[in-house]
Amino acid sequence: MLLTRRCIRTPPQSVLLRVHMEVPMPAIKVGVREFREQIARFLESDIPVAVTRRGETLGVYVPTPRKSFKSADMTELRAAADRLAAALSDVDEEEIVAEFKQTRRAKKGAGR
C-alpha cells in the first residue's frame, strides 16, 4: 500500500491536508475470447479483469461497488408486483386460459 501526504496552502491562515492511498488490486488476465464466453461470471465478480489479445492488454474491467442486493431487490420486486396486480385487476383468469388454448389450437392446426 502506498500512502502519500500533501499539504496545500490556500488562502492565509488555512491549510488543506490531502491523503492519497493506493491499494494494489489483483487482476485476472484473460483473453478476449474467454472474456466474451464467460462475461456473466466476470460481471458478477468483485475482482478486476484485464482483457488481453496476444499478450497485450486491451483494457481492464473494474467492477463498481454494488448496493445491497436484498434491500434493492425486495423494493423493486414489491413495486413490480404492485404494478402487475394493478394491471391484472380487471382480467378474468378463465378468459386468459380460454384465449391461450384457442391460440395454441390455431398454431397446431396451421403447422400441420
Coordinates of all heavy atoms in Angstrom, one line a residue, residues 26-83:
P26 N -5.5 -7.1 -7.2 CA -5.1 -8.2 -8.1 C -6.1 -8.3 -9.2 O -7.3 -8.2 -9.0 CB -5.1 -9.4 -7.2 CG -6.1 -9.1 -6.1 CD -5.9 -7.6 -5.9
A27 N -5.6 -8.4 -10.4 CA -6.4 -8.5 -11.6 C -6.2 -9.9 -12.3 O -5.1 -10.4 -12.2 CB -6.1 -7.4 -12.6
I28 N -7.3 -10.4 -12.8 CA -7.3 -11.6 -13.6 C -7.0 -11.2 -15.0 O -7.6 -10.3 -15.6 CB -8.6 -12.4 -13.5 CG1 -9.0 -12.7 -12.1 CG2 -8.6 -13.6 -14.3 CD1 -10.4 -13.2 -11.9
K29 N -6.0 -11.9 -15.7 CA -5.7 -11.7 -17.1 C -6.4 -12.8 -17.9 O -6.2 -14.0 -17.6 CB -4.2 -11.7 -17.3 CG -3.5 -10.5 -17.0 CD -2.1 -10.5 -17.5 CE -1.5 -9.1 -17.3 NZ -0.2 -9.0 -18.0
V30 N -7.3 -12.3 -18.8 CA -8.0 -13.3 -19.7 C -7.9 -12.8 -21.1 O -7.8 -11.6 -21.4 CB -9.4 -13.5 -19.3 CG1 -9.6 -14.1 -17.9 CG2 -10.2 -12.2 -19.3
G31 N -8.0 -13.7 -22.1 CA -8.1 -13.3 -23.5 C -9.5 -12.8 -23.8 O -10.4 -13.0 -23.1
V32 N -9.5 -12.2 -25.0 CA -10.8 -11.6 -25.5 C -11.9 -12.7 -25.6 O -13.0 -12.5 -25.1 CB -10.6 -10.9 -26.8 CG1 -11.9 -10.4 -27.4 CG2 -9.7 -9.7 -26.7
R33 N -11.5 -13.8 -26.2 CA -12.5 -14.9 -26.4 C -13.0 -15.4 -25.0 O -14.2 -15.6 -24.9 CB -11.8 -16.0 -27.2 CG -12.8 -17.2 -27.5 CD -12.2 -18.2 -28.3 NE -11.9 -17.7 -29.6 CZ -10.9 -18.1 -30.4 NH1 -10.2 -19.1 -30.1 NH2 -10.7 -17.5 -31.6
E34 N -12.1 -15.7 -24.1 CA -12.5 -16.2 -22.8 C -13.4 -15.1 -22.0 O -14.4 -15.5 -21.4 CB -11.3 -16.5 -21.9 CG -11.7 -17.1 -20.5 CD -10.5 -17.3 -19.7 OE1 -9.3 -17.2 -20.1 OE2 -10.7 -17.7 -18.5
F35 N -13.0 -13.9 -22.2 CA -13.8 -12.8 -21.5 C -15.3 -12.8 -22.1 O -16.2 -12.7 -21.4 CB -13.2 -11.4 -21.7 CG -13.9 -10.3 -21.0 CD1 -13.9 -10.2 -19.7 CD2 -14.6 -9.4 -21.8 CE1 -14.5 -9.1 -19.0 CE2 -15.3 -8.3 -21.2 CZ -15.2 -8.2 -19.8
R36 N -15.3 -12.9 -23.4 CA -16.6 -12.9 -24.1 C -17.5 -14.1 -23.7 O -18.7 -14.0 -23.4 CB -16.4 -12.8 -25.6 CG -17.7 -12.6 -26.4 CD -17.5 -12.5 -27.9 NE -16.7 -13.6 -28.4 CZ -15.6 -13.5 -29.2 NH1 -15.2 -12.3 -29.5 NH2 -15.0 -14.5 -29.6
E37 N -16.8 -15.3 -23.6 CA -17.6 -16.5 -23.3 C -18.0 -16.6 -21.8 O -19.0 -17.2 -21.5 CB -16.7 -17.7 -23.6 CG -16.5 -18.0 -25.1 CD -15.4 -19.0 -25.4 OE1 -14.8 -19.5 -24.4 OE2 -15.3 -19.4 -26.5
Q38 N -17.3 -15.9 -21.0 CA -17.6 -16.0 -19.5 C -17.9 -14.6 -18.9 O -17.7 -14.4 -17.7 CB -16.4 -16.6 -18.8 CG -16.1 -18.0 -19.2 CD -15.0 -18.6 -18.4 OE1 -14.6 -18.1 -17.4 NE2 -14.4 -19.7 -19.0
I39 N -18.5 -13.8 -19.7 CA -18.7 -12.4 -19.3 C -19.6 -12.3 -18.1 O -19.4 -11.5 -17.2 CB -19.2 -11.5 -20.4 CG1 -19.1 -10.0 -20.0 CG2 -20.6 -11.9 -20.9 CD1 -19.2 -9.0 -21.1
A40 N -20.6 -13.2 -18.0 CA -21.6 -13.2 -16.9 C -20.8 -13.4 -15.6 O -21.1 -12.8 -14.6 CB -22.7 -14.2 -17.1
R41 N -19.9 -14.4 -15.6 CA -19.1 -14.7 -14.4 C -18.3 -13.5 -14.0 O -18.2 -13.1 -12.8 CB -18.3 -15.9 -14.6 CG -17.5 -16.3 -13.4 CD -16.7 -17.6 -13.7 NE -15.6 -17.3 -14.6 CZ -14.3 -17.4 -14.3 NH1 -14.0 -17.9 -13.1 NH2 -13.4 -17.2 -15.2
F42 N -17.6 -12.8 -15.0 CA -16.8 -11.7 -14.6 C -17.6 -10.5 -14.2 O -17.1 -9.7 -13.3 CB -15.9 -11.3 -15.9 CG -14.9 -12.4 -16.3 CD1 -14.9 -12.8 -17.5 CD2 -14.1 -12.9 -15.3 CE1 -14.0 -13.8 -17.9 CE2 -13.2 -13.9 -15.7 CZ -13.1 -14.3 -17.0
L43 N -18.8 -10.3 -14.7 CA -19.6 -9.2 -14.3 C -20.1 -9.3 -12.9 O -20.3 -8.4 -12.2 CB -20.8 -9.0 -15.2 CG -20.5 -8.6 -16.6 CD1 -21.7 -8.5 -17.5 CD2 -19.8 -7.2 -16.7
E44 N -20.3 -10.6 -12.4 CA -20.7 -10.8 -11.0 C -19.6 -10.8 -10.0 O -19.8 -10.7 -8.9 CB -21.4 -12.2 -11.0 CG -22.7 -12.2 -11.7 CD -23.8 -11.3 -11.1 OE1 -23.8 -11.2 -9.9 OE2 -24.5 -10.7 -11.9
S45 N -18.3 -10.9 -10.5 CA -17.2 -10.9 -9.7 C -16.8 -9.5 -9.1 O -17.2 -8.5 -9.7 CB -16.0 -11.5 -10.5 OG -14.8 -11.4 -9.7
D46 N -16.1 -9.5 -8.0 CA -15.6 -8.2 -7.5 C -14.1 -8.0 -7.8 O -13.6 -7.0 -7.4 CB -15.7 -8.3 -5.9 CG -17.2 -8.3 -5.5 OD1 -18.0 -7.8 -6.2 OD2 -17.4 -8.8 -4.4
I47 N -13.5 -8.8 -8.6 CA -12.1 -8.7 -9.0 C -12.0 -8.1 -10.4 O -12.7 -8.5 -11.3 CB -11.5 -10.1 -9.0 CG1 -11.6 -10.7 -7.6 CG2 -10.0 -10.1 -9.4 CD1 -11.2 -12.2 -7.5
P48 N -11.1 -7.1 -10.5 CA -10.8 -6.5 -11.9 C -10.3 -7.6 -12.9 O -9.7 -8.5 -12.5 CB -9.8 -5.5 -11.6 CG -9.8 -5.2 -10.2 CD -10.3 -6.5 -9.5
V49 N -10.7 -7.4 -14.1 CA -10.3 -8.3 -15.2 C -9.5 -7.5 -16.3 O -10.1 -6.6 -16.8 CB -11.5 -9.0 -15.8 CG1 -11.1 -10.0 -16.9 CG2 -12.3 -9.7 -14.7
A50 N -8.3 -8.0 -16.5 CA -7.5 -7.4 -17.6 C -7.8 -8.2 -18.9 O -7.5 -9.4 -18.9 CB -6.0 -7.4 -17.3
V51 N -8.3 -7.6 -19.9 CA -8.6 -8.3 -21.2 C -7.4 -8.1 -22.1 O -7.0 -7.0 -22.4 CB -9.9 -7.7 -21.8 CG1 -10.3 -8.5 -23.0 CG2 -11.1 -7.8 -20.8
T52 N -6.9 -9.2 -22.6 CA -5.7 -9.2 -23.4 C -6.0 -9.8 -24.8 O -6.9 -10.6 -25.0 CB -4.6 -10.0 -22.8 OG1 -4.9 -11.3 -22.6 CG2 -4.2 -9.4 -21.4
R53 N -5.2 -9.4 -25.8 CA -5.2 -10.0 -27.1 C -3.7 -10.2 -27.5 O -2.9 -9.3 -27.5 CB -5.8 -9.1 -28.1 CG -5.8 -9.8 -29.5 CD -6.3 -8.9 -30.6 NE -7.8 -8.7 -30.5 CZ -8.4 -7.6 -30.8 NH1 -7.7 -6.6 -31.3 NH2 -9.7 -7.5 -30.6
R54 N -3.3 -11.5 -27.7 CA -2.0 -11.8 -28.0 C -1.0 -11.3 -27.0 O 0.1 -10.8 -27.3 CB -1.6 -11.4 -29.4 CG -2.4 -12.0 -30.5 CD -1.9 -11.7 -31.8 NE -2.8 -12.2 -32.8 CZ -3.7 -11.4 -33.5 NH1 -3.8 -10.1 -33.2 NH2 -4.5 -12.0 -34.4
G55 N -1.4 -11.3 -25.7 CA -0.5 -10.9 -24.6 C -0.5 -9.4 -24.3 O 0.1 -9.0 -23.3
E56 N -1.1 -8.6 -25.2 CA -1.2 -7.2 -25.0 C -2.5 -6.8 -24.3 O -3.6 -7.2 -24.8 CB -1.1 -6.4 -26.3 CG -1.1 -4.9 -26.2 CD -1.0 -4.3 -27.5 OE1 -0.5 -4.9 -28.5 OE2 -1.4 -3.1 -27.6
T57 N -2.5 -6.0 -23.2 CA -3.7 -5.6 -22.5 C -4.5 -4.6 -23.3 O -3.9 -3.6 -23.7 CB -3.3 -5.1 -21.1 OG1 -2.6 -6.0 -20.4 CG2 -4.6 -4.7 -20.4
L58 N -5.7 -5.0 -23.6 CA -6.6 -4.1 -24.4 C -7.3 -3.1 -23.5 O -7.6 -2.0 -23.8 CB -7.6 -4.8 -25.2 CG -7.0 -5.8 -26.3 CD1 -8.1 -6.6 -26.9 CD2 -6.2 -5.0 -27.3
G59 N -7.7 -3.6 -22.3 CA -8.5 -2.8 -21.4 C -8.7 -3.6 -20.1 O -8.3 -4.8 -20.0
V60 N -9.2 -2.9 -19.1 CA -9.4 -3.5 -17.8 C -10.9 -3.2 -17.4 O -11.3 -2.1 -17.4 CB -8.4 -2.9 -16.8 CG1 -8.7 -3.5 -15.4 CG2 -7.0 -3.1 -17.2
Y61 N -11.6 -4.3 -17.0 CA -12.9 -4.1 -16.5 C -12.8 -4.1 -14.9 O -12.3 -5.0 -14.3 CB -13.8 -5.3 -16.9 CG -15.1 -5.4 -16.0 CD1 -16.1 -4.4 -16.2 CD2 -15.3 -6.3 -15.1 CE1 -17.2 -4.4 -15.5 CE2 -16.4 -6.3 -14.3 CZ -17.4 -5.4 -14.5 OH -18.5 -5.4 -13.7
V62 N -13.2 -2.9 -14.4 CA -13.1 -2.8 -12.9 C -14.6 -2.7 -12.4 O -15.3 -1.7 -12.7 CB -12.3 -1.5 -12.5 CG1 -12.3 -1.3 -11.0 CG2 -11.0 -1.5 -13.2
P63 N -15.0 -3.7 -11.6 CA -16.4 -3.6 -11.1 C -16.5 -2.5 -10.1 O -15.6 -2.2 -9.4 CB -16.5 -5.0 -10.4 CG -15.2 -5.6 -10.3 CD -14.3 -4.8 -11.3
T64 N -17.7 -1.9 -10.1 CA -18.0 -0.9 -9.1 C -18.7 -1.5 -7.9 O -19.4 -2.6 -8.0 CB -19.0 0.2 -9.7 OG1 -20.1 -0.5 -10.2 CG2 -18.3 0.9 -10.9
P65 N -18.6 -0.9 -6.7 CA -19.3 -1.4 -5.6 C -20.8 -1.4 -5.8 O -21.4 -0.5 -6.4 CB -19.0 -0.4 -4.4 CG -17.8 0.4 -4.9 CD -17.9 0.3 -6.4
R66 N -21.4 -2.5 -5.4 CA -22.9 -2.7 -5.7 C -23.7 -2.4 -4.4 O -23.2 -2.6 -3.3 CB -23.2 -4.1 -6.1 CG -22.6 -4.4 -7.4 CD -23.0 -5.8 -7.9 NE -21.7 -6.5 -8.2 CZ -21.5 -7.7 -8.0 NH1 -22.4 -8.5 -7.5 NH2 -20.3 -8.2 -8.3
K67 N -24.9 -1.9 -4.6 CA -25.7 -1.7 -3.4 C -26.2 -3.0 -2.9 O -26.1 -4.0 -3.6 CB -26.9 -0.8 -3.8 CG -27.8 -1.3 -4.9 CD -28.9 -0.3 -5.2 CE -29.7 -0.8 -6.4 NZ -30.7 0.2 -6.8
S68 N -26.8 -3.0 -1.7 CA -27.2 -4.2 -1.1 C -28.3 -4.9 -1.9 O -29.3 -4.2 -2.3 CB -27.8 -3.9 0.3 OG -28.4 -5.0 0.9
F69 N -28.1 -6.1 -2.3 CA -29.0 -6.8 -3.1 C -30.4 -7.0 -2.5 O -31.4 -6.9 -3.1 CB -28.4 -8.2 -3.5 CG -27.4 -8.1 -4.6 CD1 -26.1 -8.5 -4.3 CD2 -27.6 -7.6 -5.8 CE1 -25.1 -8.4 -5.3 CE2 -26.7 -7.5 -6.8 CZ -25.4 -7.9 -6.5
K70 N -30.4 -7.4 -1.2 CA -31.6 -7.8 -0.6 C -32.6 -6.6 -0.5 O -33.7 -6.7 -0.9 CB -31.4 -8.3 0.8 CG -30.8 -9.7 0.9 CD -30.7 -10.2 2.3 CE -30.2 -11.6 2.3 NZ -30.2 -12.2 3.6
S71 N -32.1 -5.4 -0.1 CA -33.0 -4.3 0.0 C -33.4 -3.8 -1.3 O -34.5 -3.4 -1.5 CB -32.3 -3.2 0.9 OG -31.2 -2.7 0.2
A72 N -32.5 -3.7 -2.3 CA -32.8 -3.2 -3.6 C -33.7 -4.1 -4.3 O -34.7 -3.7 -4.9 CB -31.5 -3.0 -4.4
D73 N -33.4 -5.4 -4.3 CA -34.2 -6.4 -5.0 C -35.6 -6.5 -4.4 O -36.6 -6.6 -5.2 CB -33.5 -7.7 -5.0 CG -32.3 -7.8 -5.9 OD1 -32.2 -6.9 -6.8 OD2 -31.6 -8.7 -5.8
M74 N -35.7 -6.5 -3.1 CA -37.0 -6.6 -2.5 C -37.9 -5.4 -2.8 O -39.1 -5.5 -3.1 CB -36.9 -6.8 -1.0 CG -36.3 -8.2 -0.6 SD -37.3 -9.6 -1.3 CE -38.8 -9.5 -0.5
T75 N -37.3 -4.2 -2.7 CA -38.1 -3.0 -3.0 C -38.6 -3.0 -4.5 O -39.7 -2.7 -4.7 CB -37.2 -1.8 -2.8 OG1 -36.7 -1.8 -1.4 CG2 -38.0 -0.5 -3.0
E76 N -37.7 -3.4 -5.4 CA -38.0 -3.4 -6.8 C -39.1 -4.5 -7.1 O -40.0 -4.3 -7.9 CB -36.8 -3.6 -7.7 CG -35.9 -2.4 -7.6 CD -34.5 -2.7 -8.3 OE1 -34.4 -3.8 -8.9 OE2 -33.6 -1.8 -8.2
L77 N -38.9 -5.6 -6.4 CA -39.8 -6.8 -6.6 C -41.2 -6.4 -6.1 O -42.2 -6.7 -6.7 CB -39.3 -8.0 -5.8 CG -40.1 -9.3 -6.0 CD1 -40.2 -9.7 -7.5 CD2 -39.5 -10.4 -5.2
R78 N -41.3 -5.7 -4.9 CA -42.6 -5.3 -4.4 C -43.3 -4.3 -5.4 O -44.5 -4.4 -5.6 CB -42.4 -4.7 -3.0 CG -42.2 -5.7 -2.0 CD -42.3 -5.1 -0.6 NE -42.0 -6.1 0.4 CZ -40.9 -6.2 1.2 NH1 -40.0 -5.2 1.0 NH2 -40.7 -7.1 2.0
A79 N -42.5 -3.4 -5.9 CA -43.1 -2.4 -6.8 C -43.6 -3.1 -8.1 O -44.6 -2.7 -8.6 CB -42.0 -1.3 -7.1
A80 N -42.8 -4.0 -8.6 CA -43.2 -4.7 -9.8 C -44.5 -5.6 -9.5 O -45.4 -5.6 -10.4 CB -42.1 -5.6 -10.3
A81 N -44.5 -6.2 -8.4 CA -45.7 -7.0 -8.0 C -47.0 -6.1 -7.9 O -48.1 -6.5 -8.3 CB -45.5 -7.7 -6.7
D82 N -46.8 -4.9 -7.3 CA -47.9 -4.0 -7.2 C -48.4 -3.5 -8.6 O -49.6 -3.4 -8.9 CB -47.5 -2.7 -6.4 CG -47.3 -3.1 -4.9 OD1 -47.8 -4.2 -4.5 OD2 -46.7 -2.3 -4.2
R83 N -47.4 -3.2 -9.5 CA -47.8 -2.8 -10.9 C -48.5 -4.0 -11.6 O -49.5 -3.8 -12.3 CB -46.6 -2.4 -11.7 CG -46.0 -1.1 -11.3 CD -45.0 -0.5 -12.3 NE -43.9 -1.5 -12.5 CZ -42.8 -1.5 -11.9 NH1 -42.5 -0.7 -10.8 NH2 -41.8 -2.4 -12.2

